[in-house]
Amino acid sequence: MIEYNIGIMGAGSIAKVIADTLHHMNGFCPYAIASRDEEKAKKFAEENEIEKYYGSYDALLEDPEVELVYIATVNSNHAELAKKCIDAGKPVFVEKPISYNAKTTEELLKYSVEKGVFCGEAMWLRYNPLMLMVVDQLRKNVIGDIRCIQASIGYNLGGKERMLKPELAGGALLDIGIYPLTAIFMIMGGPPVQAIAEPLVTNTGVDAYSTIYMRYPQGRVAVATNTMTTRLDNKLTVYGTHGMLEIDNVNNPKLVTVYGNDGKPRGEMKSNKEDYSGYEYEFKAARTAAIAGSKETKEATIADTINLYKFTDTLRYMWNIMFPLPEEPEKRPQGEPPVPPTKNA
């Protein structure tokens, strides 16, 4: 089988998982790695059996053998590097978050459409077969009408420098909080009509913890808790008129249990035994879209992506947490009311 050559920008922990996954996939090759530190790139290439390494991102983009770029750098420069890929005519898949706010996300995706070069967000939850099965079964009323969703995600990430720095678009919301939000949006069909949330803010000025209460039409609600200070159970539970459904891990579902109104289990759904890391599904979709010249994948549309970051913008504006980055508003003066929510895409 002809291999599809992937170039990876960034030589951190996520890049290592990506390289390992690609080695185990038929038709894919982790062909090149780029870092701003050439020695780091060289070491990464040696340890992960990658053919080419580069000491700059531009050098990777000049390699004609690179067919798709995966961006695995810090949150703050995702959009900037993705635009460079587009300018070089390289289809690009970006580690979540695709950018730190809706404006830069929308500008990037609009630019990719104008240039006819695929650009997508690697939000693996939208490609996860078990999560897609859950959404399908809920639409078929496996537990009746949905009334409430409760989800949580929490890890002790306070020691990670990138999480604490506003200039790197740190904080719990954009790094892990978008997983339960994505799951809820997939199940509910999009963002809520109203949200209430209050964060715990670090002394560096990023969110460390929040519980987000979301109201949907017909009296439905969802509650998402996320924190980078401690580990939570990381489950998602959907309550319906005829039972409930529980996902064991909102970040990476492996087991889903369906319960009846009597509280007793009446069915299970499990992940495919052939799953390797879970990243393989997003790469297959990205390759299909890039080769076909599509502007988006069917699993994660441009509107889906923009709506997520319009919602996280709304939360951060309510919290008055802004990043010292381009296209971010200035912090509100004390006493000024929050910015109203932005419209969905």
Side-chain angles (χ1 to χ4, degrees):
M1 179 180 289
I2 298 174
E3 292 189 325
Y4 196 59
N5 288 335
I6 310 296
I8 303 171
M9 288 184 175
S13 57
I14 291 297
K16 184 176 179 62
V17 175
I18 295 302
D20 183 54
T21 299
L22 293 171
H23 274 306
H24 285 82
M25 294 179 66
N26 291 326
F28 287 83
C29 174
Y31 165 78
I33 181 71
S35 170
R36 288 172 175 164
D37 182 336
E38 187 169 358
E39 283 302 312
K40 186 175 182 179
K42 180 180 179 181
K43 182 180 179 183
F44 187 98
E46 291 171 349
E47 292 178 348
N48 296 278
E49 301 179 17
I50 293 178
E51 181 179 341
K52 296 287 183 71
Y53 66 88
Y54 297 103
S56 75
Y57 301 137
D58 289 339
L60 182 143
L61 293 177
E62 291 169 2
D63 187 332
E65 298 300 315
V66 172
E67 295 175 276
L68 182 141
V69 177
Y70 190 91
I71 296 177
T73 59
V74 293
N75 297 347
S76 54
N77 65 10
H78 285 179
E80 173 192 351
L81 292 177
K83 188 173 183 296
K84 282 191 172 188
C85 295
I86 294 166
D87 286 337
K90 303 286 190 186
V92 57
F93 212 35
V94 189
E95 175 64 27
K96 59 79 195 164
I98 191 170
S99 192
Y100 48 84
N101 65 19
K103 186 171 184 180
T104 53
T105 296
E106 197 163 7
E107 288 173 350
L108 171 64
L109 295 176
K110 181 180 178 182
Y111 189 69
S112 74
V113 172
E114 289 174 352
K115 294 295 184 180
V117 179
F118 170 76
C119 176
E121 180 181 50
M123 169 49 79
W124 71 343
L125 198 57
R126 283 198 172 271
Y127 300 90
N128 184 285
L130 185 54
M131 188 66 204
L132 294 173
M133 189 185 304
V134 166
V135 173
D136 178 66
Q137 288 299 305
L138 288 171
R139 287 176 181 166
K140 293 177 179 176
N141 295 317
V142 67
I143 57 169
D145 295 332
I146 297 171
R147 306 313 308 156
C148 176
I149 301 176
Q150 291 182 331
S152 71
I153 189 166
Y155 298 98
N156 189 354
L157 303 172
K160 293 183 179 290
E161 185 182 32
R162 64 178 177 82
M163 297 290 293
L164 296 171
K165 288 191 171 183
E167 63 269 30
L168 298 182
L173 178 65
L174 288 186
D175 200 84
I176 58 174
I178 56 177
Y179 284 116
L181 291 181
T182 295
I184 290 167
F185 286 16
M186 290 175 71
I187 293 168
M188 292 294 212
V193 295
Q194 186 180 33
I196 301 170
E198 193 70 32
L200 173 67
V201 182
T202 68
N203 58 10
T204 61
V206 300
D207 63 290
Y209 169 94
S210 64
T211 293
I212 306 160
Y213 176 87
M214 292 165 273
R215 185 174 65 83
Y216 281 85
Q218 288 84 51
R220 298 175 299 157
V221 298
V223 182
T225 297
N226 69 90
T227 178
M228 64 180 186
T229 63
T230 188
R231 186 176 182 89
L232 302 181
D233 64 14
N234 298 343
K235 293 181 179 181
L236 181 145
T237 305
V238 187
Y239 298 92
T241 53
H242 301 310
M244 70 178 191
L245 178 150
E246 184 180 80
I247 299 175
D248 68 331
N249 188 339
V250 68
N251 176 24
N252 186 15
K254 295 294 184 183
L255 174 66
V256 176
T257 307
V258 179
Y259 297 86
N261 270 336
D262 57 3
K264 296 180 180 179
R266 57 181 175 89
E268 287 184 347
M269 294 175 268
K270 295 182 179 181
S271 59
N272 193 322
K273 291 182 180 179
E274 297 178 0
D275 286 359
Y276 183 70
S277 70
Y279 286 95
E280 56 265 44
Y281 301 105
E282 63 183 23
F283 272 102
K284 290 176 182 178
R287 179 180 64 179
T288 298
I291 292 175
S294 300
K295 62 182 180 181
E296 59 191 6
T297 65
K298 62 182 177 63
E299 295 90 348
T301 67
I302 288 175
D304 289 333
T305 304
I306 293 172
N307 282 339
L308 176 63
Y309 296 106
K310 284 188 173 181
F311 185 66
T312 58
D313 278 359
T314 297
L315 296 173
R316 290 194 300 112
Y317 294 168
M318 287 193 297
W319 300 342
N320 207 16
I321 294 177
M322 313 302 176
F323 302 128
L325 294 168
E327 308 291 357
E328 278 276 278
E330 294 183 2
K331 292 190 74 171
R332 296 190 309 277
Q334 189 172 2
E336 185 174 311
V339 176
T342 52
K343 293 183 179 178
N344 299 328

